[in-house]
Amino acid sequence: MGVIDPVTAALHIIVGNSISVDTCGVYGKDKQLLRFGISMVAFGFYGDTLADSDKHRWMGPKRYDWSGFKKFVSNRAYEGTISFVRSEESGHPQDNTRCYSGCSVCASDSDTSSNVSSLYDASEWEHLTGSFLGINTFTIPCKTGLSPEGVAPSCHLGDGYTDLVIVKKASRTKFLRHLLRIAHNTANQFDFDFIEAIRVKAFRYHANSKPSILHSPNSSSQSHQQQEPQQSRRSTVDPQQSVWNCDGEVIEETDITVRVHRQAIKIFATGVEDPNIKSDTCTSCYGKSW
């Protein structure tokens, strides 16, 4: 899994190697499905970076570095309330486990989605109100060249949960230390007083400020508003709030609910091989990941 060689991918299909992975459903205020996400749903720093990078497409991939630098310097935090349903079975984002091929956690028979319809009214919802630099959820470890061990190293591919990482308002120096730990894996990237890492099966976010809708000066009467053509979604975005980054796509609706659907997608792959276990398989594939 994570191999980009087309021949290897074709062999997985021919042989029939497959695994099932979780996906997150992102829902709006009216519980309408907005999008599915398989890796990351993020608000604040990562959302702002993505939105700003769209203005600099002429820069190519470098636009992400430039936009990320700008948003880091601005160090903007957002007021809101996060509610979540905590995992009771699948460990913790800081338990230092890894999801390898044949993972016993992902192979368990527990069904985290059986009570999904009642999650909105469940008594186990916990709430956190404050000012946040980022609200990020990771359904896979999200390993990249910039984060070799992943942004959520202990995340499992098919356990029915997602790792919610809440970054509270902090100084640029503290936030930079967190980002450097992700990049260099020098220490626990969640071991800060302004970061909470929680394994959840659902969460929702409510902005404390209300979106401001732009109207023409003569649109005071309701009848006239009904005759106005619908304005673009961008005009309803609260300038005091961020947007959501869902697998590299912008979601402009601020108040959302995210729910995990366990092993909803089947892909042709064998999973990440454990580099500590000797095998007759090709050792060059070890360490390959999402």
Side-chain angles (χ1 to χ4, degrees):
M1 193 164 56
V3 176
I4 61 175
D5 178 48
V7 176
T8 303
L11 288 174
H12 280 311
I13 297 173
I14 294 171
V15 175
N17 292 331
S18 66
I19 60 173
S20 297
V21 297
D22 297 337
T23 185
C24 283
V26 183
Y27 303 87
K29 290 181 179 179
D30 55 357
K31 301 182 182 180
Q32 180 181 4
L33 176 66
L34 301 176
R35 192 176 294 275
F36 283 114
I38 197 173
S39 59
M40 176 182 76
V41 180
F43 181 87
F45 175 73
Y46 292 116
D48 290 346
T49 298
L50 178 64
D52 185 77
S53 69
D54 282 342
K55 305 173 186 176
H56 308 287
R57 289 185 172 273
W58 58 272
M59 296 179 66
K62 290 294 183 181
R63 68 183 185 271
Y64 299 112
D65 297 333
W66 171 240
S67 295
F69 172 74
K70 288 168 59 181
K71 297 308 171 183
F72 167 77
V73 171
S74 69
N75 198 41
R76 187 173 181 182
Y78 299 94
E79 298 285 340
T81 299
I82 308 167
S83 305
F84 54 89
V85 180
R86 191 185 298 265
S87 160
E88 299 176 355
E89 305 172 344
S90 184
H92 190 274
Q94 300 187 63
D95 60 15
N96 205 32
T97 61
R98 296 295 185 270
C99 185
Y100 292 121
S101 180
C103 175
S104 60
V105 174
C106 297
S108 67
D109 295 329
S110 61
D111 185 4
T112 62
S113 61
S114 59
N115 196 34
V116 114
S117 62
S118 63
L119 279 178
Y120 292 101
D121 302 314
S123 60
E124 63 263 35
W125 282 100
E126 300 178 44
H127 309 280
L128 178 63
T129 299
S131 186
F132 308 104
L133 288 175
I135 302 166
N136 316 307
T137 182
F138 304 98
T139 314
I140 62 175
C142 294
K143 296 183 180 181
T144 68
L146 296 177
S147 55
E149 287 298 313
V151 185
S154 297
C155 188
H156 288 268
L157 301 180
D159 63 345
Y161 297 97
T162 184
D163 286 358
L164 176 63
V165 180
I166 302 171
V167 184
K168 301 175 185 177
K169 186 176 182 179
S171 67
R172 293 181 183 86
T173 302
K174 288 184 176 180
F175 187 44
L176 179 61
R177 290 177 60 197
H178 166 64
L179 295 177
L180 290 176
R181 286 189 183 184
I182 294 176
H184 301 295
N185 194 33
T186 53
N188 184 355
Q189 60 214 45
F190 304 135
D191 189 20
F192 293 98
D193 57 4
F194 64 95
I195 290 181
E196 288 196 37
I198 312 161
R199 187 155 292 166
V200 303
K201 47 188 172 182
F203 83 91
R204 58 193 176 200
Y205 175 76
H206 174 69
N208 284 356
S209 58
K210 299 296 183 181
S212 56
I213 301 177
L214 302 181
H215 296 295
S216 63
N218 299 323
S219 61
S220 56
S221 66
Q222 183 177 0
S223 60
H224 185 76
Q225 289 178 13
Q226 293 175 349
Q227 295 175 6
E228 288 286 329
Q230 185 177 7
Q231 296 180 337
S232 66
R233 289 178 56 87
R234 196 66 189 172
S235 66
T236 65
V237 176
D238 184 358
Q240 300 303 315
Q241 289 294 332
S242 177
V243 296
W244 290 91
N245 178 344
C246 180
D247 290 351
E249 298 292 334
V250 171
I251 296 178
E252 295 177 343
E253 186 162 342
T254 304
D255 293 3
I256 66 168
T257 297
V258 175
R259 201 170 67 203
V260 183
H261 300 275
R262 189 181 187 195
Q263 299 184 9
I265 296 179
K266 180 175 288 188
I267 61 175
F268 291 101
T270 58
V272 181
E273 299 291 341
D274 188 345
N276 298 315
I277 298 178
K278 293 183 179 180
S279 173
D280 295 332
T281 57
C282 176
T283 57
S284 65
C285 295
Y286 285 172
K288 299 291 185 181
S289 60
W290 283 77

